[in-house]
Amino acid sequence: MPYRIAFVSLGCAKNLVNTEQMMALCRQAGHTITGEPEGADVAVLNTCGFIESAKSEAIDNILQLGRLKEEGKLKKLLVAGCLTQRYPDDIRKELPEVDGMLGTGSYTDVVAAVEELMAGEKAEHFAGIHTTYEDGERIVTTPPYTAYLKIAEGCSNGCAFCIIPKLRGRYRSRSMDALLTEARGLAQAGVKELIVIAQDITRYGMDRKDGSSLAGLLRELCELDFHWVRLHYLYPEVITDELIQTMAQNPKIVHYLDIPIQHCNDGILKAMRRHTTKADIQALFAKLRNAMPDVVLRTSLICGLPGEGEAEFEELCQFLREEKLQRAGVFQFSPEEGTLAAAMDDQVDPDVAQRRVELVVDLQSRVMDEYNEQRLGTVMEVLCEGFDSQAGCYVGRTYADSVEIDGHVYFTAAGLVPAGSFVNVRITGTMDGDLTGEIDE
C-alpha cells in the first residue's frame, strides 16, 4: 500500500544527500514524497547530533512533529541520522514521540522501516556504520542549477574535539565510476554549480589504493558541462602541489577553498590532534595565493578549547589580522561526551569562550568589509538565484560565496534574468556584508 511520506533534513549538506537518497528509495517503492509533514502518514526526520546546538534543533523538531501526531495530522515519526546513532537509548526513554529509528548505517532500510511502522511493528535499524551504501538514485532538492556531489563518507582523522568518526564510521571513498555517472546525470539535468563535498575531500581515493585522487576526479569533473565546481572541505595537510596545480589550471574550479584549520597555535593544534603547525598553514596559504591570486579562503575556527589561554587566543587573533581570511565560521568549543577534548584538563569557562567567539567574529567582519570594499567598481560573475521581492531586485552569488553560508549580491537589471543564469555585475556598493550592483551590459 502506498503511503504519503514527508522528509525533513537537518544539519549539513552531507546529511541532505542521505535524505535525498532515502526519498528516492521511497519513491521507487511507490510511495508519495512530500516536504510537508502535516497530513503525511510518516515523517522521516534526518538529524544532526554533532554539537549541542544541533542536538537541540533535532529535539525541537521531534517535539514539533510529536504535536502534529497528537493533533491527528501525522501518523508516525521515523527519526534517522546522527542523533539516533549517538543517543538511541535516550531517545527511547525521553522521546516517546519517536516511533522508529534509523542509524547512520541504515539509510537504505527506510522503506522497510516505514512499512513496519504502518503495520504497527517496531522499526529500529542500526547496521554497521563502516560499510554503508553511498551510490544509487537521489531526488535532488536543491535549486535545479546547484547540486552536491558527496564523494566519500566517514572520517578517520580522529580530531580530539570531534565525534563524527564514531557516528559516521571510518573514511571510505566512493568509486570514480559511480561518481562520474552521478555527475553526468546532474550535468544533463541542468546543474551548473557542482559542490563537491565530504567530511574531508582531500583524502579522496587514498583508502581505495586504485590510483583515485581528488586531483584526478576534479580533472574528470571539469570535462562535464558544469560552469562552476566548488570544493568543501580541504584539509590542509594533504593539499598537494598536484592538487593546487589542478585547481589553478581548470577555470571551472572556483577559487574559493574551504580549509578548516580550527586554530593556529601549535600547542592547541597538537591538543586537537590536528596534523599541521602554524608554519605549515602559513606556507600553504602563501602557496595557494601565489598559484591563484584571486583565491578566497574560508576556514573554521574553534575558540575555547581546553588549554587556550589569553596568549593562545591573542596569537589566533594576530594570525587572522595578518592572513586576512575572507570567510570564517567561528564556533565555541563544545565538550562532546565521547571525545578526548571533553575529558581534558584546563577547560575554558564557557562565558570566556563565548566572548572570544564574539571577538573573532568582530575581527573577521572587518576583514570581510575590507574585502567587499575592494570589490567596488569591479565586474564580477554572478550566479542569479532569482528575484528578491523584498529587496526589489535580483539576488545571486559570486564565486566567493557558497550556498547558505556566505553573502549575496543584490543587483538591478533592465530585463529578465532567469534563476540559474550567469551574468556580469558591476559592484557599486556594500550592504551589511553583502554586495550591491547592476548588470554590466
Side-chain angles (χ1 to χ4, degrees):
M1 177 179 173
Y3 300 114
R4 184 176 177 83
I5 307 173
F7 283 85
V8 179
S9 193
L10 306 177
C12 65
K14 301 179 290 294
N15 222 34
L16 178 63
V17 170
N18 290 131
T19 301
E20 293 173 342
Q21 292 167 328
M22 290 193 289
M23 292 168 69
L25 288 168
C26 289
R27 184 173 66 181
Q28 290 166 9
H31 302 300
T32 300
I33 307 304
T34 177
E36 294 297 328
E38 190 167 327
D41 292 303
V42 179
V44 180
L45 176 66
N46 196 11
T47 61
C48 177
F50 178 37
I51 56 177
E52 195 60 42
S53 58
K55 290 181 275 186
S56 297
E57 182 187 25
I59 292 168
D60 287 345
N61 273 266
I62 289 171
L63 297 176
Q64 289 174 17
L65 293 167
R67 284 192 286 273
L68 283 183
K69 284 176 57 184
E70 287 179 8
E71 295 165 5
K73 298 174 182 176
L74 173 67
K75 293 177 183 172
K76 299 289 183 180
L77 172 56
L78 177 63
V79 179
C82 290
L83 190 78
T84 56
Q85 187 67 40
R86 190 171 183 186
Y87 299 111
D89 292 337
D90 293 327
I91 290 173
R92 292 183 192 107
K93 292 174 188 173
E94 306 294 337
L95 293 168
E97 296 86 353
V98 176
D99 299 299
M101 292 188 283
L102 297 176
T104 57
S106 298
Y107 288 116
T108 50
D109 292 338
V110 62
V111 173
V114 164
E115 293 174 354
E116 286 162 3
L117 288 180
M118 293 306 294
E121 301 170 11
K122 181 181 178 181
E124 290 191 5
H125 295 250
F126 287 92
I129 61 173
H130 300 293
T131 55
T132 53
Y133 180 70
E134 299 296 332
D135 301 332
E137 188 185 343
R138 293 159 53 195
I139 297 178
V140 177
T141 57
T142 45
Y145 48 82
T146 294
Y148 296 104
L149 182 69
K150 183 178 175 183
I151 66 172
E153 177 57 283
C155 185
S156 300
N157 290 341
C159 298
F161 54 83
C162 184
I163 197 70
I164 285 176
K166 293 184 179 180
L167 301 181
R168 292 283 182 171
R170 61 179 169 266
Y171 192 90
R172 50 212 187 271
S173 305
R174 295 176 59 193
S175 75
M176 187 90 82
D177 286 346
L179 290 170
L180 293 177
T181 297
E182 183 174 343
R184 287 188 199 99
L186 293 171
Q188 290 164 6
V191 170
K192 295 301 177 188
E193 179 186 37
L194 185 74
I195 307 176
V196 179
I197 60 169
Q199 190 62 32
D200 173 2
I201 65 171
T202 3
R203 284 184 168 80
Y204 173 75
M206 292 181 181
D207 57 311
R208 294 187 63 85
K209 298 180 174 52
D210 61 0
S212 301
S213 69
L214 179 61
L217 174 63
L218 292 178
R219 288 192 289 269
E220 294 289 339
L221 292 175
C222 288
E223 294 296 318
L224 303 178
D225 191 22
F226 300 113
H227 192 82
W228 281 351
V229 177
R230 190 179 292 277
L231 310 179
H232 288 273
Y233 308 91
L234 299 113
Y235 275 57
E237 65 271 19
V238 277
I239 297 179
T240 62
D241 289 344
E242 181 194 12
L243 180 57
I244 293 172
Q245 186 178 41
T246 300
M247 295 187 295
Q249 292 180 348
N250 283 282
K252 290 185 179 182
I253 300 175
V254 297
H255 292 172
Y256 167 107
L257 305 179
D258 194 329
I259 304 173
I261 62 170
Q262 309 302 352
H263 214 280
C264 72
N265 173 267
D266 286 348
I268 296 296
L269 288 170
K270 186 176 181 180
M272 286 179 165
R273 291 203 167 182
R274 304 288 287 184
H275 307 292
T276 48
T277 64
K278 180 181 179 180
D280 294 335
I281 295 167
Q282 290 171 318
L284 173 64
F285 287 169
K287 189 181 288 189
L288 291 170
R289 285 167 167 152
N290 184 58
M292 296 168 277
D294 63 341
V295 70
V296 167
L297 296 175
R298 181 179 181 86
T299 196
S300 300
L301 302 165
I302 296 176
C303 294
L305 192 95
E308 184 191 61
E310 290 301 323
E312 290 82 4
F313 177 66
E314 179 51 38
E315 183 179 349
L316 174 63
C317 291
Q318 186 58 30
F319 172 89
L320 296 172
R321 292 185 198 104
E322 293 170 358
E323 289 292 340
K324 295 186 184 299
L325 306 177
Q326 299 95 329
R327 306 282 187 259
V330 189
F331 302 93
Q332 181 178 345
F333 170 67
S334 178
E336 297 298 316
E337 65 264 42
T339 64
L340 290 170
M344 286 177 179
D345 296 330
D346 298 325
Q347 295 282 329
V348 176
D349 182 278
D351 291 339
V352 172
Q354 176 59 33
R355 178 62 181 149
R356 289 176 182 171
V357 168
E358 293 167 0
L359 289 169
V360 172
V361 167
D362 184 56
L363 188 161
Q364 281 300 124
S365 70
R366 292 196 293 273
V367 173
M368 187 174 71
D369 288 346
E370 182 180 329
Y371 172 79
N372 284 346
E373 291 288 338
Q374 293 169 352
R375 306 280 76 73
L376 294 177
T378 66
V379 175
M380 301 190 75
E381 185 178 51
V382 171
L383 170 57
C384 180
E385 295 185 304
F387 189 82
D388 187 313
S389 56
Q390 189 172 359
C393 61
Y394 290 97
V395 63
R397 291 181 287 110
T398 71
Y399 80 95
D401 304 296
S402 196
V403 180
E404 295 186 350
I405 57 175
D406 296 312
H408 292 87
V409 180
Y410 293 88
F411 63 95
T412 56
L416 178 68
V417 183
S421 60
F422 288 86
V423 292
N424 289 323
V425 174
R426 182 170 297 280
I427 305 302
T428 58
T430 65
M431 179 181 65
D432 297 329
D434 293 319
L435 298 171
T436 60
E438 55 194 28
I439 279 198
D440 189 62
E441 300 295 349

